[in-house]
Amino acid sequence: MVLNKNYTLDNILKFINFDYKIHGNKNVSFDKVCSFFQPKEGALTFIEKKYISHQNDIYTQCANLIICDRAFTILEEKLGNKCLITVNNPKLVFSIILKNITNNATDRRVHPNAVIDKSVMLGKNIHVGPNTIIEKNCTIGNNTIIRGNCYIFESVEVGKNVIINPGSMIGKEGVGYIQHEQKQYLNFT
């Protein structure tokens, strides 16, 4: 996955609230993420303890920044220009970093194709994607991201720090149907 900008080690360390150790090049940067087994030049990746038999692949891997398990034996002299971050749970740390950098990557604005009723209360630092409709008397909390092609019905309150994915409908009556005794279906709200 290609990211919208180049990230440095300093950009991501603030997201790691776990014990970690840095090995190798501290001036490394990356502009994409990839699987450890499908490496890409200039990428961030991770490898879990269950793949410890592949630990020597770290040194031939073309990714710039690798998050790996503490159980791996790291030979600093073989790292070259790479940076390794050793942690107890590489998959978790990778996921946290990815979530934070992709959420921050959204251009925070209201798309010109979005239709928002004038009574809607919009929080600070929000994003509303293209072709999204927000009906009257809604409240959208601070730091909320509403992706494109969403429909938010009347009088819905969306909290702060919420992400609504593309094509979502919020506040619509009926999320399914229930069959009653006469074998007919009733809209379940």
Side-chain angles (χ1 to χ4, degrees):
M1 175 170 103
V2 177
L3 303 168
N4 70 337
K5 72 177 218 175
N6 207 36
Y7 291 90
T8 65
L9 186 61
D10 288 338
N11 295 141
I12 65 166
L13 288 179
K14 62 187 171 193
F15 305 126
I16 305 175
N17 296 322
F18 306 96
D19 288 335
Y20 63 88
K21 184 172 181 187
I22 299 170
H23 306 268
N25 181 9
K26 292 183 171 106
N27 295 317
V28 72
S29 64
F30 63 95
D31 62 358
K32 57 187 79 70
V33 294
C34 67
S35 158
F36 184 82
F37 298 105
Q38 294 178 329
K40 302 212 180 319
E41 186 84 31
L44 167 69
T45 191
F46 75 96
I47 183 167
E48 296 176 271
K49 184 178 182 177
K50 67 182 178 180
Y51 298 112
I52 199 160
S53 63
H54 294 275
Q55 77 177 5
N56 286 331
D57 296 343
I58 288 170
Y59 308 112
T60 58
Q61 164 75 252
C62 64
N64 291 9
L65 181 55
I66 304 169
I67 302 167
C68 67
D69 196 279
R70 289 182 191 275
F72 286 46
T73 302
I74 308 300
L75 302 174
E76 301 258 351
E77 66 277 4
K78 291 178 92 177
L79 287 176
N81 281 332
K82 280 182 206 18
C83 179
L84 264 63
I85 302 174
T86 52
V87 295
N88 284 333
N89 189 337
K91 188 175 189 177
L92 174 64
V93 170
F94 179 83
S95 297
I96 289 169
I97 290 169
L98 191 57
K99 181 176 191 270
N100 278 282
I101 64 177
T102 56
N103 285 348
N104 292 336
T106 299
D107 179 21
R108 299 298 175 106
R109 67 187 178 109
V110 175
H111 194 278
N113 289 351
V115 177
I116 302 173
D117 187 86
K118 64 182 183 238
S119 67
V120 173
M121 295 177 60
L122 297 174
K124 295 177 184 172
N125 195 36
I126 65 150
H127 173 80
V128 180
N131 306 315
T132 291
I133 298 171
I134 305 176
E135 289 187 349
K136 66 183 178 180
N137 301 321
C138 290
T139 303
I140 309 299
N142 294 341
N143 304 310
T144 291
I145 298 171
I146 303 170
R147 307 274 190 213
N149 301 310
C150 293
Y151 200 109
I152 300 178
F153 287 83
E154 182 178 339
S155 302
V156 168
E157 184 175 331
V158 177
K160 60 184 179 179
N161 303 311
V162 174
I163 298 173
I164 299 174
N165 286 318
S168 296
M169 296 177 71
I170 309 290
K172 181 180 182 327
E173 182 180 313
V175 293
Y177 294 91
I178 301 172
Q179 190 176 31
H180 60 67
E181 294 83 29
Q182 286 84 30
K183 304 290 183 203
Q184 294 179 349
Y185 290 93
L186 178 66
N187 193 342
F188 181 73
T189 57

